[in-house]
Each structure stands twice: as structure tokens, then as C-alpha cells.
Amino acid sequence: MPPKGRIVVNEAYCKGCELCVGACPQNVLGLAADHITAKGYHPATLISEGCTGCGICGIICPEAAITIYREKTGVVRATS
Amino acid sequence: MDMIDNDTETLVYSRPNSLTDVSTHYCPGCTHGIAHRLIAEVIDEMNIREKMIGVASVGCSVFAYNYFNFDFVQAPHGRAPAMATGVKRVLPEKVVMTYQGDGDMASIGMAEIVHAATRGENITVFFINNTNYGMTGGQMAPTTLPGQKTTSSQNGRDVETQGYPIRAAELLSQLDGSSYVVRRSLNDPKNIRLAKKAIRMAFEVQLRGLGFSMIEFLSICPTNWGMSASASMTWLENNMIPYYPLGDYKVHPAVAEIKI
Ligand SMILES: Cc1ncc(C[n+]2csc(CCOP(=O)(O)OP(=O)(O)O)c2C)c(N)n1
Ligand code: SF4
Ligand code: SF4
């Protein structure tokens, strides 16, 4: 079983640049088509199951808008 | 940080404390944001936020002082290394960084950067090479590539009349006063990780009193390049990296001994 993760996108910062969408190895990111942020952008969001909490989207995000969590398994994983 | 570890989840990543809770004015996808974020992460990890003094320059990053969560001053166009020299000499226990674009550092400020480097000032310079003057509308910079179209080289940069690009890292590495001069790229996760490591090294150099450090970051300006952020990253990879090879151009022997 791959690790399970989730992300929280802070919409005060996200500008919908889509760099995370292109970088996500699981292809689970997209832009939310149903709403816009206060600045007028469609923000990034998880569009399907399968986030592993790998952290890649956080590495490319120019706005430091993404908080990333990974579910704990029996073994405690090191944080990066 | 908006949340910490709990019983069921590990916090993998959250916004660094060395950034303020302010949304930047940078365009979507602009790598100024990635550079800011990496610098802030390293400052958090090294626990040196209270020691930091930044010197902002003129260009899109003119408001950097609003985004970094530590003391800042703002220098006239190109003069950040001169101002940083004064700040560091008066407050040697502080960690002093400048943050400059290519128009700022490699054009109007070329004298200041060269002389700060050759004096071996114990400061750290972050240099954003996005091949144009972003703030003023995408004019040709010293770093604009041969043939590259900008608002002031509309047929493409013609080296016969407009000269060749300046490779700032190579140039500064030739000065005996410089200690750590490297080029990194902000185009993909692997290169971004390497860029972060170099920022760590540059601050270690300064903390050990080993002298002048400079990191050139290959960067994008999607707005003035007229491309999406991801297309800009590809353009950077295909056009900038071949002309501006990534690597370590100056690593003083004393710096080479630092293990991080
Ligand atoms: C003395 C002076 N000359 C010219 C200008 C106009 N000016 C403002 S920003 C800029 C260039 C900025 O380009 P760069 O340093 O590459 O930064 P970027 O905006 O691309 O991040 C210029 C020429 C100025 N503000 N002050
Ligand atoms: S943490 Fe990894 S898998 Fe999850 S959304 Fe971000 S890049 Fe994709
Ligand atoms: S104009 Fe270019 S350098 Fe300036 S914020 Fe926009 S993308 Fe970034």
C-alpha cells in the first residue's frame, strides 16, 4: 500500500499557477473550477484520490500555499 | 504553520515562519516566490531569523521587505551590495543578505557587486536571473539570451549591436575576494532542492566569517515572456541552462570543508 496523504491549499495565497498540477507524480491535483479566490484565481485542489503526501507540490509552490500531511503507519516516518 | 503533528498524521510541509502572512504581488508562477520560500525555509531550519538583515533592491522584488519576516532595508537601484557592506561592517554579528534581479545587479549595479565581491565582504547575495527587466515591462537585461525577444529587442537580441549576455557567476568567481559562487535553477523539484542546499551553504559561509557568497538562480518571468508558468519552466530548461550552466564556480578551500 502506498502511503496516504492529503494537502490543504491556503486560498489566500494560491494564484492558480498550476506548477503543482504539473509536478504532482500522482496526477491528483487540478484547479477548482467551481470557485475563485479573493484575488480572482481558480485555486489548486485535490481532484481525485491517491495523494501520497510526498511533498513535491510544496517544493514547487511559489506561494508557500500548501500544507502537506501524511498518514502515520506503524512506523513513524521522518518529516522533511 | 497552521497545524502540527497529531496522532494519525505527520506534518510533511507547511509555510515557513520566516515568511510573513502576506500574499505577494508577484505574478502567478513567478519564481521570485520559490526563491523567497527557499530562503525562508533555510532561515527557519538554521534558526537565524533573529539575526537576519535583508537588503531589498529595485525590481519586482522591491517589496521583499513585506514578505520576509525579519529586518530589512531597501537600497537604491543596484546599490544593495554597498548598503549590505555598511550594515555588515557595523553589525558583524548579523547575517546580511541582498536580494537582487539581473537588471539591478548585473546592469546598473555591476560596479557595486564586483567591488563587494573583490573586497571579500562577508555578505550573501541572492541573484535572480530571469533574462529581463520584469518590473518595468520586460526590457532587455544584460542576461537576455542572444536572439531573445524582449520589449527593447523586438527582433531578438542582436549581439552585434547589443553585446553578449553576462554570466554573472563565472564573472564574480574570477575575483580573489569571492568565496562561494554558484549557479542553481528553480525549474523543477530536483533543481529546487539543490538550490535550497546552496542557500544553506551560503549562510554557513557567512556565519563562519569566510567572506563573499553569491547564488545565481535561473528564474522565470511568465508575464513578460508571454508564456504559462509551466511553459516558462520548459523554456528555462531548454534555453537558459545550456547558456548558463549550473554548477559551483567558486568554492574556497575553507568552504569546501563545510559539511551540511
Ligand atoms: C535609478 C533607477 N533607474 C531606473 C529605474 C527603473 N527600473 C525599475 S526596476 C528596473 C529593472 C528591474 O529588473 P530586474 O533587476 O531584472 O528585476 P525583476 O523586475 O526582473 O525582478 C528598472 C530599470 C529605477 N527604479 N531607478
Ligand atoms: S503531496 Fe505529492 S501526491 Fe500529494 S498532491 Fe502534493 S505532489 Fe501530489
Ligand atoms: S513581471 Fe516577471 S519577475 Fe515580475 S512578478 Fe511578474 S513574472 Fe515575476
Coordinates of all heavy atoms in Angstrom, one line a residue, chain B residues 79-171:
Chain B
R79 N 22.4 49.2 -5.7 CA 23.3 49.6 -4.6 C 23.2 48.6 -3.4 O 23.9 48.9 -2.4 CB 23.1 51.0 -4.2 CG 23.9 52.1 -5.0 CD 23.7 51.9 -6.4 NE 24.2 53.1 -7.2 CZ 24.2 53.1 -8.5 NH1 23.7 52.2 -9.3 NH2 24.7 54.2 -9.1
A80 N 22.5 47.6 -3.5 CA 22.3 46.7 -2.4 C 23.6 46.1 -1.8 O 23.8 46.1 -0.6 CB 21.3 45.5 -2.7
P81 N 24.6 45.7 -2.6 CA 25.8 45.2 -2.0 C 26.6 46.3 -1.3 O 27.3 46.0 -0.3 CB 26.6 44.7 -3.3 CG 25.6 44.5 -4.3 CD 24.6 45.6 -4.1
A82 N 26.5 47.6 -1.7 CA 27.1 48.6 -1.0 C 26.5 48.8 0.4 O 27.1 49.0 1.4 CB 27.1 49.9 -1.8
M83 N 25.1 48.8 0.4 CA 24.4 49.0 1.6 C 24.6 47.8 2.5 O 24.8 48.0 3.7 CB 22.9 49.2 1.3 CG 22.2 49.8 2.5 SD 20.4 49.9 2.1 CE 20.3 51.7 1.7
A84 N 24.7 46.6 2.0 CA 24.9 45.4 2.8 C 26.3 45.5 3.4 O 26.5 45.0 4.5 CB 24.8 44.2 1.9
T85 N 27.3 46.0 2.7 CA 28.6 46.2 3.2 C 28.6 47.0 4.5 O 29.2 46.7 5.5 CB 29.5 46.9 2.1 OG1 29.6 46.1 1.0 CG2 30.9 47.2 2.7
G86 N 27.9 48.2 4.4 CA 27.8 49.0 5.6 C 27.1 48.4 6.7 O 27.6 48.4 7.9
V87 N 26.0 47.7 6.4 CA 25.2 47.1 7.5 C 26.1 46.0 8.2 O 26.2 45.9 9.4 CB 23.9 46.4 6.9 CG1 23.2 45.6 8.0 CG2 23.0 47.5 6.4
K88 N 26.8 45.2 7.4 CA 27.5 44.0 7.9 C 28.8 44.5 8.7 O 29.1 44.0 9.8 CB 28.0 43.1 6.8 CG 28.7 41.9 7.3 CD 27.8 40.9 8.0 CE 28.7 39.7 8.5 NZ 27.8 38.7 9.1
R89 N 29.4 45.6 8.2 CA 30.6 46.1 8.9 C 30.2 46.7 10.3 O 30.9 46.6 11.3 CB 31.3 47.1 8.1 CG 32.0 46.4 6.9 CD 32.9 47.4 6.2 NE 33.6 46.7 5.1 CZ 34.7 47.2 4.5 NH1 35.2 48.4 4.9 NH2 35.3 46.6 3.5
V90 N 29.0 47.3 10.3 CA 28.6 47.9 11.6 C 28.0 46.9 12.5 O 28.2 47.0 13.8 CB 27.5 49.1 11.3 CG1 26.9 49.6 12.6 CG2 28.2 50.2 10.5
L91 N 27.4 45.9 12.0 CA 26.7 44.8 12.8 C 27.2 43.5 12.4 O 26.5 42.6 11.8 CB 25.2 44.9 12.6 CG 24.5 46.2 13.0 CD1 23.1 46.2 12.5 CD2 24.5 46.4 14.5
P92 N 28.5 43.2 12.7 CA 29.1 41.9 12.1 C 28.5 40.7 12.6 O 28.6 39.6 12.0 CB 30.6 42.0 12.6 CG 30.6 43.0 13.7 CD 29.5 44.0 13.4
E93 N 27.7 40.8 13.8 CA 27.1 39.5 14.3 C 25.8 39.2 13.5 O 25.2 38.1 13.7 CB 26.8 39.7 15.8 CG 25.7 40.6 16.2 CD 26.0 42.1 16.0 OE1 27.1 42.4 15.6 OE2 25.1 42.9 16.3
K94 N 25.3 40.1 12.7 CA 24.1 39.9 11.9 C 24.4 39.1 10.6 O 25.6 39.1 10.2 CB 23.4 41.2 11.5 CG 22.9 42.0 12.7 CD 21.8 41.3 13.4 CE 21.2 42.2 14.5 NZ 20.2 41.5 15.2
V95 N 23.4 38.4 10.1 CA 23.6 37.7 8.8 C 22.9 38.6 7.8 O 21.7 38.9 7.9 CB 22.9 36.3 8.9 CG1 23.0 35.6 7.5 CG2 23.6 35.4 10.0
V96 N 23.7 39.1 6.9 CA 23.2 40.1 5.9 C 23.1 39.5 4.5 O 24.0 38.9 4.0 CB 24.1 41.3 5.9 CG1 23.6 42.4 5.0 CG2 24.3 41.9 7.3
M97 N 21.9 39.7 3.9 CA 21.7 39.2 2.6 C 21.1 40.3 1.7 O 20.4 41.1 2.1 CB 20.7 38.0 2.6 CG 19.3 38.4 3.2 SD 18.1 37.1 2.9 CE 17.1 37.8 1.6
T98 N 21.5 40.3 0.4 CA 20.9 41.1 -0.6 C 20.0 40.2 -1.4 O 20.3 39.0 -1.6 CB 21.8 41.9 -1.5 OG1 22.4 41.0 -2.4 CG2 22.9 42.6 -0.6
Y99 N 19.0 40.8 -2.1 CA 18.1 40.0 -3.0 C 17.9 40.9 -4.2 O 17.3 41.9 -4.1 CB 16.8 39.7 -2.3 CG 15.9 38.8 -3.1 CD1 15.8 37.5 -2.8 CD2 15.2 39.3 -4.2 CE1 14.9 36.6 -3.5 CE2 14.3 38.5 -4.9 CZ 14.2 37.2 -4.6 OH 13.4 36.4 -5.3
Q100 N 18.5 40.5 -5.3 CA 18.6 41.4 -6.5 C 18.3 40.7 -7.8 O 18.6 39.5 -8.0 CB 20.1 41.9 -6.6 CG 20.6 42.6 -5.3 CD 22.0 43.0 -5.5 OE1 22.9 42.4 -4.9 NE2 22.3 44.1 -6.2
G101 N 17.6 41.4 -8.7 CA 17.4 40.9 -10.0 C 18.6 41.2 -10.9 O 19.6 41.7 -10.5
D102 N 18.4 40.7 -12.2 CA 19.5 40.8 -13.1 C 19.7 42.2 -13.6 O 20.8 42.7 -13.9 CB 19.4 39.8 -14.2 CG 18.0 39.6 -14.8 OD1 17.2 40.5 -14.5 OD2 17.8 38.7 -15.5
G103 N 18.6 43.0 -13.8 CA 18.7 44.4 -14.2 C 19.4 45.1 -13.0 O 20.3 45.9 -13.3
D104 N 19.0 44.8 -11.8 CA 19.6 45.5 -10.7 C 21.0 45.2 -10.5 O 21.9 46.1 -10.4 CB 18.8 45.1 -9.4 CG 19.1 45.9 -8.2 OD1 18.6 47.0 -8.0 OD2 20.0 45.4 -7.4
M105 N 21.4 43.9 -10.4 CA 22.7 43.5 -10.0 C 23.7 43.6 -11.2 O 24.9 44.0 -11.0 CB 22.7 42.2 -9.4 CG 24.0 41.9 -8.7 SD 24.3 40.1 -8.4 CE 25.1 39.6 -9.9
A106 N 23.3 43.1 -12.4 CA 24.2 42.9 -13.5 C 24.2 44.1 -14.4 O 25.0 44.1 -15.4 CB 23.9 41.6 -14.2
S107 N 23.4 45.1 -14.2 CA 23.3 46.2 -15.1 C 23.7 47.5 -14.3 O 24.9 47.8 -14.1 CB 22.0 46.4 -15.8 OG 22.0 47.3 -16.8
I108 N 22.7 48.1 -13.7 CA 23.0 49.4 -13.0 C 23.9 49.2 -11.8 O 24.7 50.1 -11.5 CB 21.7 50.1 -12.6 CG1 21.9 51.5 -12.2 CG2 20.9 49.3 -11.6 CD1 20.7 52.4 -12.0
G109 N 23.8 48.0 -11.2 CA 24.6 47.7 -10.0 C 25.9 46.9 -10.2 O 26.4 46.3 -9.3
M110 N 26.4 46.8 -11.5 CA 27.5 46.0 -11.7 C 28.8 46.4 -10.9 O 29.5 45.6 -10.4 CB 27.9 46.0 -13.2 CG 28.8 44.9 -13.6 SD 28.4 43.3 -13.1 CE 28.4 42.3 -14.6
A111 N 29.0 47.7 -10.8 CA 30.2 48.2 -10.1 C 30.1 47.7 -8.6 O 31.0 47.2 -8.0 CB 30.3 49.7 -10.1
E112 N 28.9 47.9 -8.0 CA 28.7 47.6 -6.6 C 29.0 46.1 -6.3 O 29.6 45.8 -5.3 CB 27.4 48.0 -6.1 CG 27.2 49.5 -5.8 CD 27.1 50.4 -7.1 OE1 26.9 49.8 -8.2 OE2 27.3 51.6 -7.0
I113 N 28.4 45.3 -7.2 CA 28.6 43.8 -6.9 C 30.0 43.4 -7.1 O 30.6 42.6 -6.3 CB 27.6 43.0 -7.7 CG1 27.6 41.5 -7.3 CG2 27.8 43.0 -9.2 CD1 27.1 41.3 -5.9
V114 N 30.6 43.9 -8.1 CA 32.0 43.5 -8.4 C 32.9 43.9 -7.3 O 33.8 43.1 -6.8 CB 32.5 44.0 -9.8 CG1 34.0 43.9 -9.9 CG2 31.8 43.3 -10.9
H115 N 32.7 45.1 -6.8 CA 33.6 45.6 -5.7 C 33.3 45.0 -4.4 O 34.3 44.7 -3.6 CB 33.6 47.1 -5.7 CG 34.4 47.7 -6.9 ND1 35.8 47.9 -6.8 CD2 34.0 48.1 -8.1 CE1 36.2 48.3 -8.0 NE2 35.1 48.5 -8.8
A116 N 32.1 44.7 -4.1 CA 31.8 44.0 -2.9 C 32.4 42.6 -2.9 O 33.0 42.1 -1.9 CB 30.3 43.9 -2.7
A117 N 32.4 41.9 -4.0 CA 32.9 40.6 -4.2 C 34.5 40.6 -4.0 O 35.1 39.8 -3.4 CB 32.5 40.0 -5.5
T118 N 35.1 41.6 -4.7 CA 36.5 41.6 -4.7 C 37.1 42.1 -3.4 O 38.2 41.7 -3.0 CB 37.1 42.5 -5.9 OG1 38.4 42.1 -6.2 CG2 37.1 44.0 -5.6
R119 N 36.3 42.8 -2.6 CA 36.7 43.2 -1.2 C 36.5 42.0 -0.3 O 36.9 42.0 0.9 CB 35.8 44.3 -0.7 CG 36.1 45.7 -1.3 CD 35.5 46.8 -0.5 NE 34.1 46.7 -0.3 CZ 33.1 47.2 -1.1 NH1 33.4 47.8 -2.2 NH2 31.8 47.0 -0.8
G120 N 35.8 41.0 -0.8 CA 35.5 39.8 0.1 C 34.6 40.1 1.2 O 34.7 39.6 2.3
E121 N 33.6 41.0 1.0 CA 32.6 41.3 2.0 C 31.9 40.1 2.5 O 31.5 39.2 1.7 CB 31.6 42.3 1.5 CG 32.2 43.7 1.1 CD 32.8 44.5 2.2 OE1 32.5 44.2 3.4 OE2 33.6 45.4 1.9
N122 N 31.7 40.0 3.8 CA 31.1 38.8 4.4 C 29.6 38.9 4.3 O 28.9 39.0 5.4 CB 31.6 38.6 5.8 CG 31.3 37.2 6.4 OD1 31.2 36.3 5.6 ND2 31.1 37.2 7.7
I123 N 29.1 38.9 3.1 CA 27.6 39.1 2.9 C 27.2 38.0 1.9 O 28.0 37.3 1.2 CB 27.3 40.4 2.3 CG1 28.0 40.7 0.9 CG2 27.6 41.6 3.3 CD1 27.5 41.9 0.2
T124 N 25.9 37.8 1.9 CA 25.3 36.8 0.9 C 24.4 37.5 -0.1 O 23.5 38.2 0.3 CB 24.5 35.7 1.7 OG1 25.4 35.0 2.6 CG2 23.9 34.7 0.8
V125 N 24.6 37.2 -1.3 CA 23.9 37.8 -2.4 C 23.0 36.8 -3.1 O 23.5 35.7 -3.6 CB 24.8 38.5 -3.4 CG1 24.1 39.0 -4.6 CG2 25.6 39.6 -2.8
F126 N 21.7 37.0 -3.2 CA 20.8 36.2 -4.0 C 20.5 36.9 -5.2 O 19.9 38.0 -5.2 CB 19.6 35.8 -3.1 CG 19.9 35.0 -1.9 CD1 19.6 35.5 -0.6 CD2 20.5 33.8 -2.0 CE1 19.9 34.8 0.5 CE2 20.9 33.1 -0.9 CZ 20.5 33.6 0.4
F127 N 20.8 36.3 -6.4 CA 20.7 36.9 -7.7 C 19.7 36.2 -8.5 O 19.9 35.0 -8.9 CB 22.1 36.9 -8.3 CG 22.1 37.4 -9.7 CD1 21.6 38.6 -10.1 CD2 22.7 36.6 -10.7 CE1 21.7 39.0 -11.4 CE2 22.8 37.0 -12.0 CZ 22.2 38.2 -12.4
I128 N 18.6 36.9 -8.9 CA 17.6 36.3 -9.7 C 17.7 36.6 -11.2 O 17.5 37.8 -11.6 CB 16.2 36.8 -9.2 CG1 16.0 36.6 -7.7 CG2 15.0 36.2 -10.0 CD1 15.9 35.1 -7.3
N129 N 18.2 35.6 -12.0 CA 18.4 35.8 -13.4 C 17.1 35.3 -14.1 O 16.9 34.1 -14.4 CB 19.6 35.0 -13.8 CG 19.8 35.1 -15.3 OD1 19.0 35.6 -16.1 ND2 20.9 34.5 -15.8
N130 N 16.3 36.3 -14.6 CA 15.1 35.9 -15.3 C 15.1 36.5 -16.7 O 14.1 36.7 -17.4 CB 13.8 36.3 -14.6 CG 13.7 37.8 -14.4 OD1 14.5 38.6 -14.9 ND2 12.7 38.3 -13.6
T131 N 16.3 36.9 -17.2 CA 16.7 37.3 -18.5 C 15.9 38.6 -19.0 O 16.0 38.9 -20.1 CB 16.4 36.2 -19.6 OG1 15.0 36.1 -19.9 CG2 17.0 34.9 -19.3
N132 N 15.3 39.3 -18.0 CA 14.8 40.6 -18.4 C 14.5 41.5 -17.2 O 14.7 41.1 -16.1 CB 13.5 40.5 -19.3 CG 12.3 39.9 -18.5 OD1 12.2 40.1 -17.3 ND2 11.4 39.3 -19.3
Y133 N 14.1 42.8 -17.5 CA 13.7 43.7 -16.5 C 12.2 43.5 -16.3 O 11.4 44.0 -17.1 CB 13.9 45.1 -16.9 CG 15.3 45.7 -17.1 CD1 16.4 44.8 -17.0 CD2 15.5 47.0 -17.3 CE1 17.7 45.3 -17.1 CE2 16.8 47.5 -17.4 CZ 17.9 46.7 -17.3 OH 19.1 47.2 -17.4
G134 N 11.9 42.7 -15.3 CA 10.5 42.3 -15.1 C 9.6 43.5 -14.8 O 8.6 43.7 -15.4
M135 N 10.0 44.2 -13.8 CA 9.1 45.2 -13.2 C 8.7 46.3 -14.2 O 7.5 46.8 -14.2 CB 9.8 45.9 -12.0 CG 9.0 47.0 -11.3 SD 10.0 47.9 -10.3 CE 8.9 48.4 -9.0
T136 N 9.6 46.7 -15.1 CA 9.3 47.8 -16.0 C 8.8 47.4 -17.3 O 8.6 48.2 -18.2 CB 10.6 48.6 -16.2 OG1 11.7 47.7 -16.5 CG2 11.0 49.4 -15.0
G137 N 8.5 46.1 -17.5 CA 7.8 45.7 -18.7 C 8.6 44.8 -19.6 O 8.3 44.7 -20.8
G138 N 9.6 44.1 -19.1 CA 10.3 43.1 -19.9 C 11.3 43.6 -20.9 O 11.4 43.1 -22.0
Q139 N 12.0 44.6 -20.5 CA 13.1 45.1 -21.4 C 14.3 44.2 -21.3 O 14.5 43.4 -20.4 CB 13.5 46.6 -21.0 CG 12.5 47.6 -21.3 CD 11.5 47.8 -20.2 OE1 11.5 47.1 -19.2 NE2 10.5 48.7 -20.3
M140 N 15.2 44.3 -22.3 CA 16.4 43.5 -22.4 C 17.3 43.8 -21.2 O 17.5 44.9 -20.8 CB 17.2 43.9 -23.7 CG 18.3 43.0 -24.0 SD 19.1 43.5 -25.5 CE 20.0 45.0 -25.0
A141 N 17.8 42.7 -20.6 CA 18.8 42.8 -19.5 C 20.1 42.4 -20.0 O 20.2 41.8 -21.0 CB 18.2 42.0 -18.3
P142 N 21.2 42.5 -19.1 CA 22.5 42.0 -19.5 C 22.4 40.5 -19.7 O 23.3 39.9 -20.4 CB 23.4 42.4 -18.3 CG 22.7 43.5 -17.6 CD 21.2 43.3 -17.9
T143 N 21.4 39.8 -19.1 CA 21.3 38.4 -19.2 C 20.4 37.9 -20.3 O 20.3 36.7 -20.5 CB 20.7 37.9 -17.8 OG1 19.6 38.8 -17.6 CG2 21.7 38.0 -16.7
T144 N 19.8 38.8 -21.0 CA 18.9 38.4 -22.1 C 19.7 37.5 -23.1 O 20.9 37.9 -23.5 CB 18.3 39.6 -22.8 OG1 17.5 40.3 -21.9 CG2 17.5 39.2 -24.1
L145 N 19.2 36.4 -23.6 CA 19.9 35.5 -24.4 C 20.1 36.0 -25.8 O 19.2 36.8 -26.3 CB 19.3 34.1 -24.4 CG 19.2 33.4 -23.1 CD1 18.4 32.1 -23.2 CD2 20.7 33.0 -22.7
P146 N 21.1 35.6 -26.6 CA 21.2 36.0 -28.0 C 20.0 35.6 -28.7 O 19.5 34.4 -28.6 CB 22.4 35.3 -28.5 CG 23.2 35.0 -27.3 CD 22.2 34.8 -26.2
G147 N 19.4 36.5 -29.5 CA 18.2 36.2 -30.3 C 16.9 36.3 -29.5 O 15.8 36.2 -30.1
Q148 N 17.0 36.5 -28.2 CA 15.7 36.5 -27.3 C 15.0 37.8 -27.6 O 15.6 38.9 -27.5 CB 16.1 36.3 -25.9 CG 14.9 36.2 -25.0 CD 15.2 36.1 -23.5 OE1 16.4 35.8 -23.1 NE2 14.3 36.4 -22.6
K149 N 13.7 37.7 -27.8 CA 12.9 38.9 -28.0 C 12.5 39.5 -26.6 O 12.0 38.7 -25.8 CB 11.6 38.5 -28.8 CG 11.9 38.3 -30.3 CD 10.7 38.0 -31.1 CE 11.1 37.7 -32.5 NZ 10.1 37.2 -33.3
T150 N 12.6 40.8 -26.5 CA 12.1 41.5 -25.3 C 11.5 42.8 -25.8 O 11.6 43.0 -27.1 CB 13.3 41.9 -24.3 OG1 14.1 42.9 -24.9 CG2 14.1 40.6 -23.9
T151 N 10.9 43.5 -25.0 CA 10.3 44.8 -25.4 C 11.3 45.8 -26.0 O 10.9 46.7 -26.7 CB 9.4 45.4 -24.3 OG1 10.2 45.5 -23.1 CG2 8.2 44.6 -24.0
S152 N 12.5 45.6 -25.6 CA 13.5 46.6 -26.2 C 14.5 45.8 -27.1 O 15.5 46.4 -27.5 CB 14.3 47.3 -25.1 OG 14.9 46.4 -24.2
S153 N 14.2 44.6 -27.5 CA 15.0 43.9 -28.5 C 13.9 43.1 -29.3 O 13.9 41.9 -29.2 CB 16.0 43.0 -27.9 OG 15.5 42.0 -27.1
Q154 N 13.1 43.8 -30.0 CA 11.9 43.2 -30.6 C 12.2 42.2 -31.7 O 11.4 41.4 -32.1 CB 10.9 44.3 -31.0 CG 10.4 45.1 -29.8 CD 9.3 46.0 -30.1 OE1 8.7 45.9 -31.2 NE2 8.9 46.8 -29.1
N155 N 13.4 42.3 -32.3 CA 13.8 41.3 -33.3 C 14.7 40.3 -32.8 O 15.3 39.5 -33.5 CB 14.4 42.0 -34.5 CG 13.5 43.0 -35.2 OD1 12.3 42.7 -35.4 ND2 14.0 44.2 -35.5
G156 N 14.8 40.3 -31.5 CA 15.7 39.3 -30.8 C 17.0 40.0 -30.5 O 17.5 40.9 -31.3
R157 N 17.6 39.7 -29.4 CA 18.9 40.4 -29.1 C 19.9 40.1 -30.1 O 20.3 38.9 -30.4 CB 19.4 39.8 -27.7 CG 20.7 40.5 -27.3 CD 21.2 40.0 -26.0 NE 22.3 40.8 -25.5 CZ 22.6 41.0 -24.2 NH1 21.9 40.5 -23.3 NH2 23.6 41.8 -23.9
D158 N 20.4 41.2 -30.7 CA 21.5 41.1 -31.7 C 22.8 41.4 -31.1 O 23.1 42.5 -30.7 CB 21.1 42.1 -32.8 CG 22.2 42.2 -33.9 OD1 23.2 41.4 -33.9 OD2 22.1 43.1 -34.7
V159 N 23.6 40.4 -31.0 CA 24.9 40.5 -30.2 C 25.8 41.5 -30.9 O 26.7 42.1 -30.3 CB 25.6 39.2 -30.0 CG1 24.7 38.3 -29.1 CG2 25.9 38.5 -31.3
E160 N 25.6 41.7 -32.2 CA 26.5 42.7 -33.0 C 26.3 44.1 -32.4 O 27.3 44.9 -32.3 CB 26.1 42.7 -34.5 CG 26.5 41.4 -35.2 CD 28.0 41.2 -35.4 OE1 28.7 42.2 -35.5 OE2 28.4 40.1 -35.3
T161 N 25.1 44.5 -32.1 CA 24.8 45.8 -31.6 C 24.6 45.9 -30.1 O 24.8 46.9 -29.5 CB 23.6 46.4 -32.4 OG1 22.5 45.5 -32.2 CG2 23.9 46.7 -33.8
Q162 N 24.1 44.8 -29.6 CA 23.7 44.8 -28.2 C 24.6 44.0 -27.2 O 24.4 43.9 -26.0 CB 22.2 44.4 -28.0 CG 21.3 45.3 -28.8 CD 19.9 44.8 -29.1 OE1 19.8 43.6 -29.4 NE2 18.9 45.6 -29.1
G163 N 25.6 43.4 -27.8 CA 26.6 42.7 -27.0 C 26.1 41.3 -26.5 O 24.9 40.9 -26.8
Y164 N 26.9 40.6 -25.8 CA 26.6 39.3 -25.4 C 26.1 39.3 -23.9 O 26.4 40.2 -23.2 CB 27.9 38.4 -25.4 CG 28.3 38.1 -26.8 CD1 29.2 39.0 -27.5 CD2 27.8 37.0 -27.5 CE1 29.5 38.7 -28.9 CE2 28.2 36.7 -28.8 CZ 29.1 37.6 -29.5 OH 29.4 37.3 -30.8
P165 N 25.4 38.3 -23.5 CA 24.9 38.2 -22.2 C 26.1 38.1 -21.2 O 27.2 37.6 -21.5 CB 24.1 36.9 -22.1 CG 23.8 36.6 -23.6 CD 24.9 37.1 -24.4
I166 N 25.9 38.5 -20.0 CA 26.9 38.4 -18.9 C 26.6 37.2 -18.0 O 25.4 37.0 -17.6 CB 26.8 39.7 -18.1 CG1 27.4 40.9 -18.9 CG2 27.7 39.5 -16.8 CD1 27.3 42.2 -18.2
R167 N 27.6 36.4 -17.9 CA 27.4 35.2 -17.0 C 28.0 35.7 -15.6 O 29.2 35.6 -15.4 CB 28.2 34.0 -17.5 CG 27.6 33.5 -18.8 CD 28.4 32.2 -19.3 NE 27.8 31.6 -20.5 CZ 28.3 31.8 -21.7 NH1 29.4 32.5 -21.9 NH2 27.7 31.2 -22.7
A168 N 27.1 36.1 -14.8 CA 27.5 36.7 -13.5 C 28.3 35.8 -12.6 O 29.2 36.2 -12.0 CB 26.3 37.3 -12.8
A169 N 27.8 34.6 -12.5 CA 28.5 33.6 -11.6 C 30.0 33.4 -12.0 O 30.9 33.5 -11.2 CB 27.8 32.3 -11.5
E170 N 30.2 33.2 -13.3 CA 31.5 33.0 -13.8 C 32.4 34.2 -13.6 O 33.5 34.2 -13.1 CB 31.5 32.7 -15.3 CG 31.0 31.3 -15.7 CD 29.5 31.2 -15.8 OE1 28.7 32.0 -15.1 OE2 29.0 30.3 -16.6
L171 N 31.8 35.4 -13.8 CA 32.5 36.6 -13.7 C 33.0 36.9 -12.3 O 34.1 37.1 -12.0 CB 31.6 37.8 -14.2 CG 32.1 39.2 -14.4 CD1 31.4 39.9 -15.5 CD2 32.0 40.0 -13.1

